[in-house]
Amino acid sequence: MSECVLEEIFIKRSQQKRKTSPLNYKERWFILTNEKLAYYDFDPEKGKRKGLRGSVDLEKIKCVEIVQPEPNAPQDRIYAFQIVYDEGPLYIFAKSEKVRAQWIKKLKEMVRFNKDLTQKYHPCSWMDGVWLCCQQEVKQAMGCKVLDGKNGFSFKPPGRRVSRKPLPPTPTEETPGRPLPPEPPGPPVSMTVIAQYNYTPVAPQDLELRRDEEYTILDKSDANWWRAKDKYGKEGYIPSNYVVKTEEGLERYEWYCKNVNRSQAEKLLKTENKDGGFMVRDSSKTGKYTVSLFTKSGGEPGGSCRHYNICTSSQNQFYLAEKHNFTTISELINYHQHNAAGMVSRLKHIVSNRARPPSTAGLGYDMWEIDPRDLTFIKELGNGQFGVVQYGKWQGQHDVAIKKIKEGSMSEDDFIDEAKIMMKLCHENLVQLYGVCTKQRPIYIVTEYLSNGCLLVYLREGLKQAPSTVQLLEMCKDVTEGMAYLESKQYIHRDLAARNCLVDSNGTVKVTDFGLSRYVLDDEYTSSAGSKFPVRWSPPEVLLYCKFSSKSDIWAYGVLMWEMYTLGQLPYERLNNTEIVAQVSRGLRLYRPKMANEKVYSIMTSCWLEKAEERPTFEELVLTVQDLLYELQ
Ligand code: ADP
Ligand code: MG
């Protein structure tokens, strides 16, 4: 056995591998050796070490940092630190600042050459299914704070408490008109943000945003529209997705493109077609960043893209191709804007996806009734269950899609009530509902417009060349993320399929028509025996007992993945609906598409498990797809 480096009795928090398992805190005898951090039971009276309770291999450690004390922490749990490794964070509480600093310093020193060190971390703990710092609900979610490279000793003394989000109940059958789960209350202190986009006021209570200017946030009780004050003291509501916190480093830089994946980065860089065009994006590996760079001197006729991971050095410094180390990523980028230093070119031109602002939850604060006189109709996009869908403009400049609801096709009053809830659903992988025109007949539903149209058509005929497996998986990831958001809001889609997804100009896929099937007035569509019922996307419990849940959405997601990997074939092509009901209940499943490897197919089959509770959640699928993407790249 290797020698003991440090030894101490600490309080250890249970790791809460399941969201609902209660937390406990136990004193353990910690022993740090050159290979492991092990902790043991001990007898406090005799002062003797007893059985081994667990250990962490040092080489698996990704981050060692202090952590803010938990809300209302007792005195003996103030000096907390975290050891993040592949199974999540381990929280340990030291008796004093001195002991904590000593252990953090030693541990950092010992893991400094680990290859998986992260560049971001969570300053607060994970508790009952949520990160207390950023309110993200996925345990593996990327850290929300960039490590400052100073070994984390710039710690503010405890005092500020972070409020805790209540644990949502497990998603089951929803009742119409029920409100979405409550949003976490905002932090009590006022927060300063920077506008990433301009925003022109629309509703009377809106506040104008000017890009790069600072604003103070006064009220965050509405997750989508925050009350803010500008530097002249003027107050009003702003879309929360147009601003970033000032201390959150990278978002303020034009070259940082947060929600851009590898394929999209290549597309954006190639479209720009400038030698030395670049952007920084989140790597498919959680917590890391990648620089994507376009060069015309790489030998390929149309130019080519290179992707460089931003690495972390032993001293927690950042570097790219060669070892020119920097304390911050912005200093690193600044340096490489002038020096290629090992890359094919220096970073010459910023290519940004920030030209187009994201969708807002409604066109202005508290605005869901839209004046039809503000709409201009430009062209017909298609025909759906409710009638014609048109592309148009709102107030002459904002792209919108307008569904004219054919009279008698929808239970309108019920829908109008629900629309207020649907408007609040706001995610980059969901087609945003902007509002409704209900004062006239036919009523209109106004949504975000996506120029590449329906995913099913896009898969069948819209792709210029056969998509790569990475590209298909990236599209799956988009859907998974949108659905994980719906799942977290306990919102059931009920009709997830490629025909109900749309593709935007960048190739991002967004889910649409969520929950809408409940308002269709057409027995052929709503009855599971009807000819228009989505039998091919339904699990046995829906076909047999009409039992909808997030788990029936998961089944449909598996079928949608299958549609992706067959480029839009009809599931169970040779069978009719009656045959499908009989065969699927007896265990028949779709075959493995040629383009799907075993791992991809195993995701699909996990969605088609007979027992609904054994299927994964969307939250879990996000991680599975992400891991697979990382393996492929
Ligand atoms: P419904 O849900 O009423 O059956 P759809 O949503 O399927 O109707 O719309 C019919 C067609 O119109 C789609 O297949 C798609 O091509 C087009 N379409 C619908 N909504 C949009 C949108 N927001 N952006 C772009 N095209 C759209
Ligand atoms: Mg539809």
Side-chain angles (χ1 to χ4, degrees):
M1 207 182 126
S2 55
E3 235 170 84
C4 168
V5 177
L6 281 176
E7 172 168 30
E8 187 71 53
I9 289 164
F10 287 130
I11 294 175
K12 173 191 164 290
R13 199 184 96 171
S14 57
Q15 276 175 291
Q16 226 186 14
K17 294 209 167 133
R18 295 174 64 88
K19 269 188 184 177
T20 45
S21 55
L23 285 176
N24 64 53
Y25 300 85
K26 296 218 167 97
E27 283 202 310
R28 297 280 181 229
W29 188 314
F30 278 79
I31 296 189
L32 176 65
T33 65
N34 283 325
E35 276 112 50
K36 276 185 183 10
L37 175 65
Y39 45 94
Y40 298 81
D41 223 353
F42 78 104
D43 182 339
E45 268 152 38
K46 295 193 185 126
K48 261 179 75 178
R49 202 168 93 200
K50 296 193 334 197
L52 176 73
R53 301 311 300 247
S55 70
V56 179
D57 289 339
L58 293 195
E59 62 177 29
K60 294 203 173 133
I61 294 179
K62 298 175 179 175
C63 169
V64 181
E65 273 303 321
I66 50 162
V67 57
Q68 296 260 12
E70 291 163 357
N72 307 318
Q75 196 54 38
D76 58 353
R77 297 211 302 265
I78 296 289
Y79 302 106
F81 63 107
Q82 54 182 318
I83 292 169
V84 186
Y85 65 113
D86 52 354
E87 285 181 37
L90 175 67
Y91 296 113
I92 302 173
F93 306 88
K95 289 193 180 64
S96 68
E97 176 62 68
K98 193 169 152 226
V99 176
R100 173 170 74 172
Q102 178 197 18
W103 275 71
I104 293 181
K105 183 159 174 271
K106 191 73 196 167
L107 278 160
K108 274 183 183 288
E109 217 173 275
M110 295 175 81
V111 304
R112 68 180 190 272
F113 296 121
N114 283 7
K115 56 180 188 312
D116 280 342
L117 291 177
T118 54
Q119 291 163 5
K120 276 185 158 186
Y121 79 112
H122 291 281
C124 297
S125 58
W126 166 262
M127 198 179 250
D128 300 338
V130 64
W131 285 105
L132 297 181
C133 34
C134 54
Q135 308 294 338
Q136 295 191 81
E137 293 173 15
V138 180
K139 197 168 183 183
Q140 280 80 350
M142 188 193 292
C144 54
K145 190 160 190 267
V146 178
L147 280 165
D148 57 11
K150 288 184 225 141
N151 281 335
F153 292 119
S154 59
F155 178 59
K156 290 189 208 78
R160 199 177 125 192
R161 299 271 183 259
V162 179
S163 46
R164 197 174 116 184
K165 188 172 177 174
L167 189 70
T170 39
T172 46
E173 192 79 8
E174 17 145 36
T175 41
R178 115 219 101 41
L180 295 173
E183 290 297 333
V189 287
S190 65
M191 174 175 103
T192 315
V193 296
I194 291 187
Q196 284 195 289
Y197 307 93
N198 289 328
Y199 176 73
T200 313
V202 169
Q205 296 192 66
D206 290 354
L207 177 71
E208 177 174 7
L209 287 180
R210 292 222 188 100
R211 197 181 153 137
D212 296 330
E213 282 192 10
E214 286 196 2
Y215 297 82
T216 310
I217 301 302
L218 308 170
D219 181 4
K220 287 171 66 172
S221 49
D222 182 333
N224 301 314
W225 293 91
W226 289 347
R227 193 161 174 82
K229 186 163 80 177
D230 67 16
K231 62 182 179 194
Y232 309 106
K234 196 163 173 224
E235 292 184 15
Y237 287 90
I238 58 162
S240 57
N241 52 346
Y242 276 44
V243 296
V244 287
K245 275 197 215 154
T246 34
E247 69 257 33
E248 238 147 61
L250 298 190
E251 278 88 349
R252 59 195 303 177
Y253 297 103
E254 174 114 32
W255 39 254
Y256 178 53
C257 300
K258 196 172 168 57
N259 295 309
V260 167
N261 60 40
R262 190 186 178 99
S263 316
Q264 289 169 338
E266 295 196 351
K267 196 173 158 213
L268 281 165
L269 291 169
K270 282 185 177 153
T271 310
E272 198 80 9
N273 197 29
K274 280 188 186 149
D275 184 57
F278 80 99
M279 63 173 66
V280 180
R281 59 186 177 85
D282 292 342
S283 149
S284 50
K285 182 143 193 154
T286 309
K288 302 253 177 189
Y289 300 96
T290 302
V291 175
S292 295
L293 172 62
F294 180 78
T295 173
K296 291 189 171 173
S297 52
E300 283 176 48
S304 60
C305 294
R306 304 287 165 90
H307 304 274
Y308 300 93
N309 288 326
I310 299 185
C311 310
T312 325
S313 76
S314 48
Q315 273 84 37
N316 264 330
Q317 291 213 315
F318 302 113
Y319 66 93
L320 269 175
E322 284 173 4
K323 286 224 164 182
H324 298 281
N325 292 318
F326 299 91
T327 320
T328 65
I329 293 181
S330 74
E331 286 169 63
L332 168 94
I333 296 303
N334 186 25
Y335 173 80
H336 287 284
Q337 283 181 302
H338 301 98
N339 306 280
M343 294 188 293
V344 284
S345 141
R346 69 180 173 89
L347 308 175
K348 293 183 198 163
H349 302 279
I350 297 172
V351 176
S352 170
N353 68 337
R354 243 180 254 171
R356 241 180 3 159
S359 296
T360 50
L363 293 163
Y365 174 68
D366 200 21
M367 209 183 105
W368 68 285
E369 180 75 47
I370 290 175
D371 186 340
R373 288 170 301 188
D374 283 338
L375 297 169
T376 326
F377 294 88
I378 296 174
K379 71 167 189 210
E380 190 169 316
L381 294 170
N383 228 310
Q385 180 64 33
F386 300 112
V388 183
V389 184
Q390 286 197 297
Y391 161 63
K393 294 274 185 190
W394 176 74
Q395 290 196 341
Q397 42 174 323
H398 297 274
D399 285 334
V400 290
I402 308 148
K403 269 189 192 180
K404 289 186 173 171
I405 306 301
K406 200 166 51 186
E407 278 170 86
S409 71
M410 176 185 267
S411 128
E412 293 181 359
D413 292 342
D414 292 338
F415 168 75
I416 292 166
D417 282 344
E418 176 75 4
K420 291 173 197 163
I421 291 169
M422 286 184 182
M423 289 256 305
K424 291 198 160 63
L425 298 168
C426 184
H427 186 275
E428 59 260 39
N429 297 110
L430 296 181
V431 176
Q432 183 64 48
L433 174 62
Y434 284 145
V436 282
C437 306
T438 63
K439 304 256 156 80
Q440 88 235 332
R441 292 296 176 272
I443 65 166
Y444 300 159
I445 300 180
V446 182
T447 67
E448 176 184 1
Y449 165 71
L450 283 90
S451 62
N452 272 315
C454 171
L455 172 64
L456 186 60
V457 180
Y458 185 76
L459 288 167
R460 288 181 179 169
E461 54 204 56
L463 293 155
K464 288 187 203 83
Q465 59 206 51
S468 64
T469 45
V470 171
Q471 212 178 336
L472 287 173
L473 205 55
E474 279 167 346
M475 297 204 284
C476 292
K477 181 163 175 270
D478 288 342
V479 176
T480 325
E481 305 240 11
M483 290 304 298
Y485 173 86
L486 283 188
E487 180 185 71
S488 75
K489 302 281 173 198
Q490 294 140 50
Y491 203 98
I492 307 173
H493 190 302
R494 293 162 186 260
D495 195 7
L496 180 63
R499 66 180 170 280
N500 279 333
C501 294
L502 296 166
V503 185
D504 82 359
S505 55
N506 294 332
T508 300
V509 179
K510 303 193 185 199
V511 177
T512 184
D513 290 345
F514 27 92
L516 218 57
S517 65
R518 290 169 295 166
Y519 308 101
V520 174
L521 293 177
D522 178 351
D523 288 344
E524 290 300 328
Y525 182 87
T526 51
S527 150
S528 63
S531 61
K532 295 186 200 159
F533 190 84
V535 170
R536 291 166 205 273
W537 287 263
S538 299
E541 75 271 12
V542 166
L543 298 174
L544 302 173
Y545 325 107
C546 292
K547 190 173 180 309
F548 291 93
S549 66
S550 290
K551 296 292 188 186
S552 59
D553 281 351
I554 284 278
W555 179 290
Y557 172 82
V559 180
L560 163 57
M561 250 186 120
W562 186 92
E563 292 179 277
M564 296 256 204
Y565 280 87
T566 56
L567 300 186
Q569 281 184 31
L570 181 69
Y572 318 97
E573 199 170 19
R574 289 167 216 271
L575 303 183
N576 66 30
N577 281 0
T578 323
E579 289 164 339
I580 293 170
V581 176
Q583 301 262 32
V584 168
S585 319
R586 252 184 261 137
L588 175 81
R589 297 295 182 264
L590 291 162
Y591 60 85
R592 177 170 71 83
K594 280 205 187 70
M595 292 174 82
N597 65 22
E598 283 301 338
K599 281 194 177 160
V600 168
Y601 187 53
S602 74
I603 301 180
M604 296 181 201
T605 53
S606 71
C607 299
W608 304 327
L609 289 171
E610 170 86 30
K611 288 193 182 133
E613 66 277 11
E614 289 176 1
R615 294 171 208 150
T617 60
F618 283 105
E619 182 185 336
E620 287 161 347
L621 281 183
V622 167
L623 301 174
T624 315
V625 173
Q626 205 162 303
D627 283 349
L628 208 52
L629 258 175
Y630 183 71
E631 275 176 35
L632 283 174
Q633 290 180 20

